[in-house]
Amino acid sequence: RAVYHQLLSQLPDSEADAFKQSAKPSSDSIAMVDRMTLLSQLAAGIAHEINNPIGFIKSNCEIQEYMLKDVFDAWDELKDELKKGGTSAAKLPADMELKYLLRDVREMLSDMQKSSLEGANRIAEIVSSLQIFSSPVTVERNWEDLDDLLEFGLEEIIRRIPANVSLNFDASDSRSQVLVNRKQIRQVLEAVVENSIDACVSGGTISIAVADLPGAVKVFIKDNGEGIKPEHMPLIFTPFFTTRPPGSGTGLGLSVAQALMESHNGWIDIQSDTGSGTT
């Protein structure tokens, strides 16, 4: 801002006034900034409030798992001992299991344990995304070879790609180095590629290529899927916006990816034509 005002002071008054007018934000952009500020504060508050109960839920589930394991291990040991005591004693465990539905209880508790942990982990993932969106965490960054970084970022999602979708990675030969946090860039790549996979619902191809530019690097992720509807384009980076069915997506992937790219002095651009794919 100081440099900007210094440059303005060196211009003739008429030109300086023109620059000032052109630099004034519109009422729409001011409103958008206000909404995003409020959303960031809301995200930070939600993340803070939800984190504690998540910890309790996960801890209780883990303790419950160990305690119930001990109970059923003791029951199994008792059954083995009773089988050694004669015919009448050997029948007792089976009668008890039938009376108290112990087999059903064991299966139900196992299912409850699994679903509770899945739910807690899902909430934790949402909270983490909200925290990143509201205030991207400053983390350690290192100089990374770009091709190696992309291979690292794609290795997990490659295992999850459906059989009817192919992914082609065109590695560069420049051996460009970028200063990044590997895990955060992986999160960005996975978010973008997952959207490409969703767009190729009937099958398709995802191509990844690199352009080494003066002072910058561009990574192109292109799919030949169904594309993005024009009315959805302004909402792509809006938190919680998703075209997926309820329960299958949080709508935070691309908004968090954009926040992480901005924290790396980068950005995400989208070009799309309905019915012919997205880059």
Side-chain angles (χ1 to χ4, degrees):
R1 190 180 295 115
V3 173
Y4 171 74
H5 285 296
Q6 184 181 7
L7 291 172
L8 279 181
S9 68
Q10 299 172 14
L11 289 172
D13 290 342
S14 59
E15 292 185 31
D17 290 341
F19 269 93
K20 288 178 182 177
Q21 288 298 323
S22 64
K24 282 185 178 179
S26 66
S27 58
D28 288 343
S29 64
I30 292 173
M32 176 59 76
V33 170
D34 289 342
R35 287 197 295 271
M36 296 306 288
T37 301
L38 181 61
L39 182 59
S40 293
Q41 294 171 347
L42 176 65
I46 291 173
H48 176 74
E49 291 299 325
I50 293 180
N51 256 334
N52 284 339
I54 289 173
F56 297 146
I57 293 170
K58 295 182 73 172
S59 177
N60 288 343
C61 285
E62 289 167 0
I63 293 171
Q64 172 185 287
E65 181 181 20
Y66 293 130
M67 294 180 69
L68 288 174
K69 182 179 182 300
D70 290 343
V71 170
F72 283 109
D73 284 349
W75 171 249
D76 291 338
E77 185 177 337
L78 177 61
K79 285 194 297 182
D80 292 338
E81 292 298 321
L82 287 172
K83 286 178 182 178
K84 302 173 184 177
T87 305
S88 59
K91 292 175 60 179
L92 184 59
D95 294 340
M96 294 287 288
E97 283 186 340
L98 184 61
K99 180 179 180 181
Y100 293 104
L101 303 175
L102 291 184
R103 290 182 182 176
D104 294 340
V105 169
R106 177 178 282 183
E107 291 178 4
M108 289 173 61
L109 286 171
S110 177
D111 291 341
M112 289 169 59
Q113 164 77 13
K114 183 179 178 181
S115 62
S116 296
L117 281 175
E118 284 179 355
N121 287 329
R122 181 170 173 79
I123 296 172
E125 182 181 340
I126 294 172
V127 168
S128 176
S129 297
L130 284 170
Q131 288 174 321
I132 292 171
F133 174 77
S134 62
S135 180
V137 180
T138 302
V139 292
E140 182 182 358
R141 295 176 185 172
N142 298 293
W143 287 101
E144 304 280 354
D145 178 86
L146 182 60
D147 286 346
D148 291 344
L149 176 68
L150 293 176
E151 288 176 5
F152 168 79
L154 296 169
E155 64 182 3
E156 287 295 328
I157 200 164
I158 285 175
R159 301 190 182 103
R160 307 199 298 268
I161 288 182
N164 63 343
V165 177
S166 61
L167 188 147
N168 302 321
F169 172 37
D170 184 13
S172 66
D173 297 322
S174 64
R175 310 307 292 178
S176 299
Q177 296 277 313
V178 286
L179 184 62
V180 296
N181 178 270
R182 286 167 63 88
K183 291 184 178 179
Q184 288 186 340
I185 297 302
R186 168 184 273 182
Q187 189 171 352
V188 171
L189 290 169
E190 288 183 348
V192 177
V193 174
E194 279 177 359
N195 277 269
S196 292
I197 293 172
D198 289 341
C200 298
V201 63
S202 301
T205 301
I206 301 170
S207 302
I208 300 176
V210 177
D212 196 356
L213 307 174
V217 168
K218 278 193 175 182
V219 178
F220 297 89
I221 301 175
K222 181 178 182 179
D223 67 69
N224 60 354
E226 59 190 18
I228 301 170
K229 295 180 180 179
E231 61 267 28
H232 291 163
M233 283 295 290
L235 304 172
I236 292 300
F237 298 115
T238 303
F240 301 110
F241 172 76
T242 180
T243 57
R244 295 179 183 178
S248 59
T250 62
L252 286 168
L254 287 179
S255 59
V256 169
Q258 182 74 297
L260 289 174
M261 287 305 298
E262 289 173 356
S263 73
H264 280 78
N265 299 318
W267 67 93
I268 300 176
D269 279 338
I270 296 181
Q271 298 173 353
S272 183
D273 294 314
T274 305
S276 59
T278 301
T279 302

